Amino acid sequence: IDLKDNVADFYLIRGFSYMKKKEYQLALIDLKKSININSNLKDAYLNVGIIYSELKDYENSLKYFSKLIDIDPNNDRVYTNLAFVRSEMNNYEEALKDVNKSIDIDQNNLNSRLLRGNIFKELKKFELSIKDFDRVIEDSKETLNQKFLHESLYSKSLLELLLGKFDEGWKLYENRFFI
């Protein structure tokens, strides 16, 4: 950046590094600078939206995700993140629409399916929730993805306990230690 301060990717990379270190204000400065240099830089919009989500500034998060959709309406990651933000805002119906768009774009996105299972749980559509959790469990075992395996088993445990299925729920509840 010191040698060439008009390259958007440089700011994007540094902003992403700040983001990973949870230095959000510095990240926002660099990511917004990258957008000013190149207004079509998709990852910059996504990362700014994610940072605002982390800061619980959901309105700004939605604003940046909407800008990304204008640039790339087939980006499954933006719809997953939109669904997450809307679920944090307790807007589960809209969150469901967004997560379904993400799944339509990428049928194998375990994160979207896990999120949809949790949204279905909030909407009291328990059979659909179990179906999504089971799909994530099955796919996680096939791909050896331990992160999603344990998260989906834990989410399923909470639902089983909620439904009064205590034997199954308590067995699966142990997965919380692996998250």
Side-chain angles (χ1 to χ4, degrees):
I1 291 173
D2 288 341
L3 297 175
K4 205 168 189 180
D5 68 351
N6 63 344
V7 179
D9 286 335
F10 293 167
Y11 291 98
L12 175 66
I13 292 166
R14 189 170 71 179
F16 184 74
S17 297
Y18 284 136
M19 181 178 153
K20 286 299 181 187
K21 293 170 38 178
K22 298 186 188 284
E23 295 179 24
Y24 294 133
Q25 295 310 318
L26 292 172
L28 285 172
I29 291 167
D30 276 351
L31 293 169
K32 288 179 180 180
K33 176 80 172 176
S34 71
I35 291 169
N36 287 336
I37 296 169
N38 179 354
S39 61
N40 291 316
L41 204 54
K42 297 184 272 189
D43 285 344
Y45 289 101
L46 181 68
N47 290 330
V48 170
I50 291 169
I51 290 170
Y52 279 127
S53 171
E54 289 291 318
L55 297 172
K56 309 288 187 222
D57 184 348
Y58 299 128
E59 293 305 317
N60 271 321
S61 183
L62 293 174
K63 181 175 102 176
Y64 277 88
F65 290 149
S66 294
K67 288 179 182 180
L68 176 52
I69 289 170
D70 290 342
I71 296 168
D72 183 5
N74 294 311
N75 187 313
D76 65 304
R77 296 181 306 159
V78 72
Y79 289 110
T80 301
N81 281 285
L82 262 173
F84 174 78
V85 168
R86 292 192 205 280
S87 67
E88 288 293 303
M89 298 171 72
N90 298 321
N91 188 347
Y92 299 111
E93 293 294 338
E94 290 300 311
L96 182 60
K97 290 176 187 175
D98 291 327
V99 79
N100 281 334
K101 285 180 187 175
S102 178
I103 292 170
D104 286 345
I105 295 167
D106 181 0
Q107 295 287 316
N108 299 315
N109 186 328
L110 297 178
N111 191 33
S112 294
R113 288 196 181 276
L114 179 60
L115 178 57
R116 186 173 70 178
N118 283 306
I119 293 169
F120 278 142
K121 182 175 75 171
E122 294 297 327
L123 292 171
K124 299 184 182 3
K125 297 179 179 184
F126 302 130
E127 288 180 25
L128 294 172
S129 182
I130 290 284
K131 184 178 176 182
D132 271 339
F133 292 150
D134 286 341
R135 168 81 186 266
V136 174
I137 292 165
E138 180 183 314
D139 289 356
S140 296
K141 287 179 181 177
E142 286 178 19
T143 60
L144 304 176
N145 189 324
Q146 296 297 305
K147 177 185 182 289
F148 283 111
L149 175 63
H150 293 296
E151 285 186 25
S152 56
L153 288 167
Y154 176 64
S155 292
K156 185 176 179 179
S157 78
L158 296 176
L159 181 55
E160 296 286 9
L161 292 169
L162 178 70
L163 296 174
K165 299 177 182 177
F166 299 114
D167 288 339
E168 179 69 16
W170 286 122
K171 286 178 197 170
L172 297 176
Y173 191 66
E174 298 302 313
N175 285 280
R176 73 189 184 284
F177 294 120
F178 300 103
I179 298 175

